[in-house]
Amino acid sequence: MFNPLKNTNRTMTPLALFVVAIIVLLSASPVLAEYADVVLNRHAEAEGVRPVIYPHWFHRIRFRCKVCHHELGFQMKVGSNDITMAAILDGKFCGMCHNDETAWGLEHCHRCHSGLPGLKTGIRGDNKAGGPGDY
Amino acid sequence: MAIRSKKTQWVENKLLLFVLLWIAGSVCCFVPAANAKDVFANDGLHDPQGPSFNELQRPDAAFAGFPVDSVGNKVRWVQALRDGIITPRTNIVPDTTIKILDMDLILGNTGDNAYVRFPHRAHTEWLDCANCHPDPFKEKFGTSGIKMGAILEGKFCGKCHGAVAFPLTECARCHSVKPDTFRGKFGVQPVEKH
């Protein structure tokens, strides 16, 4: 058993350990975007609303991929679906579910338009994943 | 070593013990400590000024009780589905046909690495055949020209792995078949009797 009270041979002073501990704590701290969150901001900010954050993690608890990416026809590539508010209000894309039936309706603008100003369209992840080609 | 008074040594040792306990404590408590903070508050994504900021569910709250992973969403999605912890809908339109295929393939062009076992079942529980066939995979073993370099560029398996499914850093989850113990043939594997 390691007994710090007996260890007279130590090479690290408590001060050095203190510094290391601070560095360890700081480097572990940053909170990052949840893996597979998608930012949609091709029109939103230019039209005066916050960018949209689409959370994969939240939806995949409730729907299998095939519901959106097969049945509802979402292409599996960020930016490849021409998602506009007009199309959504017309019952397409997010509007296929956010219609007060499968999910809450479109009057809750800010649940979708929830992003910080200036976000770029694309998929987000932790330090290990920034999307395909940037694992 | 410099000679130090008993008193200084005692103080030093106590300090050392304190620091060690503190490190251990902060490592063990790191997860709850992170939970105590709002994970959306500075994720570089959500605007805390947004009127619905507080209405949105946080992933750490949603994932409580889910099987834990070390990467991606930190959730073992295949297990969560199999254990019935989540029951995501398979369809919205009532007459959509749900296709599940129980067929493992072993791919052997892996250089010095372990061979790759591709399980159709785990995939088709989430996905439709059309998500993979005919693009990016031809429906005939060994004909799609899969290469690791292309996967890392977001093609083939990398279309999903590294974006939504577990990331490509987890080599051994795909490269899971040890060449020195594998006695079968590459391609479609005989269905295992359970």
Side-chain angles (χ1 to χ4, degrees):
Chain A
M1 259 270 302
F2 172 70
N3 183 350
L5 299 175
K6 281 231 177 91
N7 187 359
T8 48
N9 251 346
R10 61 180 183 269
T11 46
M12 262 199 190
T13 64
L15 184 69
L17 269 174
F18 184 81
V19 172
V20 168
I22 291 283
I23 292 169
V24 166
L25 282 178
L26 284 184
S27 61
S29 293
V31 181
L32 295 151
E34 183 62 29
Y35 190 73
D37 275 359
V38 175
V39 171
L40 299 165
N41 194 15
R42 294 196 301 174
H43 317 283
E45 217 177 327
E47 302 278 340
V49 288
R50 287 186 176 78
V52 172
I53 301 172
Y54 163 76
H56 262 108
W57 66 268
F58 182 94
H59 288 83
R60 76 181 288 190
I61 294 175
R62 294 157 176 82
F63 303 95
R64 300 180 200 226
C65 329
K66 52 174 104 174
V67 171
C68 290
H69 290 297
H70 180 58
E71 229 185 6
L72 302 182
F74 279 95
Q75 296 292 310
M76 256 189 199
K77 190 160 179 30
V78 167
S80 61
N81 304 279
D82 193 15
I83 311 178
T84 60
M85 202 60 222
I88 295 171
L89 287 163
D90 207 26
K92 302 199 179 76
F93 302 114
C94 323
M96 289 186 278
C97 295
H98 288 278
N99 52 9
D100 279 320
E101 217 173 290
T102 307
W104 41 258
L106 296 171
E107 66 278 15
H108 300 285
C109 316
H110 302 291
R111 291 188 189 164
C112 293
H113 293 279
S114 64
L116 285 164
L119 291 175
K120 290 216 167 56
T121 297
I123 193 156
R124 301 301 148 101
D126 56 16
N127 56 331
K128 301 225 175 76
D134 185 17
Y135 64 101
Chain B
M1 261 198 85
I3 296 163
R4 291 181 229 177
S5 77
K6 273 228 168 94
K7 171 113 176 130
T8 339
Q9 264 195 23
W10 185 85
V11 170
E12 247 185 58
N13 285 332
K14 277 279 166 319
L15 205 65
L16 175 67
L17 191 66
F18 170 73
V19 169
L20 282 173
L21 282 173
W22 187 46
I23 296 175
S26 57
V27 168
C28 301
C29 298
F30 178 67
V31 175
N35 286 355
K37 288 194 297 226
D38 182 351
V39 293
F40 281 2
N42 53 59
D43 62 356
L45 210 60
H46 291 89
D47 185 353
Q49 309 300 316
S52 294
F53 181 73
N54 290 319
E55 290 165 33
L56 300 175
Q57 193 182 25
R58 302 329 194 220
D60 48 0
F63 295 159
F66 284 23
V68 177
D69 201 347
S70 52
V71 291
N73 293 122
K74 314 275 197 296
V75 170
R76 290 270 177 182
W77 289 107
V78 172
Q79 199 191 328
L81 185 66
R82 217 160 263 165
D83 295 351
I85 290 163
I86 57 171
T87 48
R89 290 176 65 171
T90 55
N91 57 305
I92 290 180
V93 185
D95 49 354
T96 300
T97 36
I98 312 301
K99 288 167 277 180
I100 307 265
L101 177 64
D102 200 355
M103 177 174 87
D104 281 9
L105 302 172
I106 292 185
L107 298 88
N109 294 326
T110 54
D112 296 337
N113 278 56
Y115 304 140
V116 171
R117 178 183 287 273
F118 174 82
H120 265 94
R121 173 166 268 283
H123 285 90
T124 52
E125 271 165 7
W126 288 100
L127 297 149
D128 189 85
C129 318
N131 293 130
C132 290
H133 297 306
D135 179 47
F137 302 114
K138 300 200 181 99
E139 233 172 280
K140 189 165 185 348
F141 175 74
T143 60
S144 308
I146 311 169
K147 286 278 176 297
M148 199 61 222
I151 295 174
L152 290 165
E153 282 169 16
K155 304 200 175 73
F156 302 114
C157 324
K159 185 178 166 184
C160 300
H161 292 279
V164 178
F166 69 77
L168 296 171
T169 45
E170 307 313 291
C171 316
R173 290 198 201 167
C174 292
H175 294 273
S176 61
V177 181
K178 297 267 173 303
D180 46 345
T181 52
F182 179 64
R183 295 279 170 272
K185 285 204 189 95
F186 296 140
V188 180
Q189 299 303 300
V191 179
E192 278 172 45
K193 302 258 179 329
H194 296 288

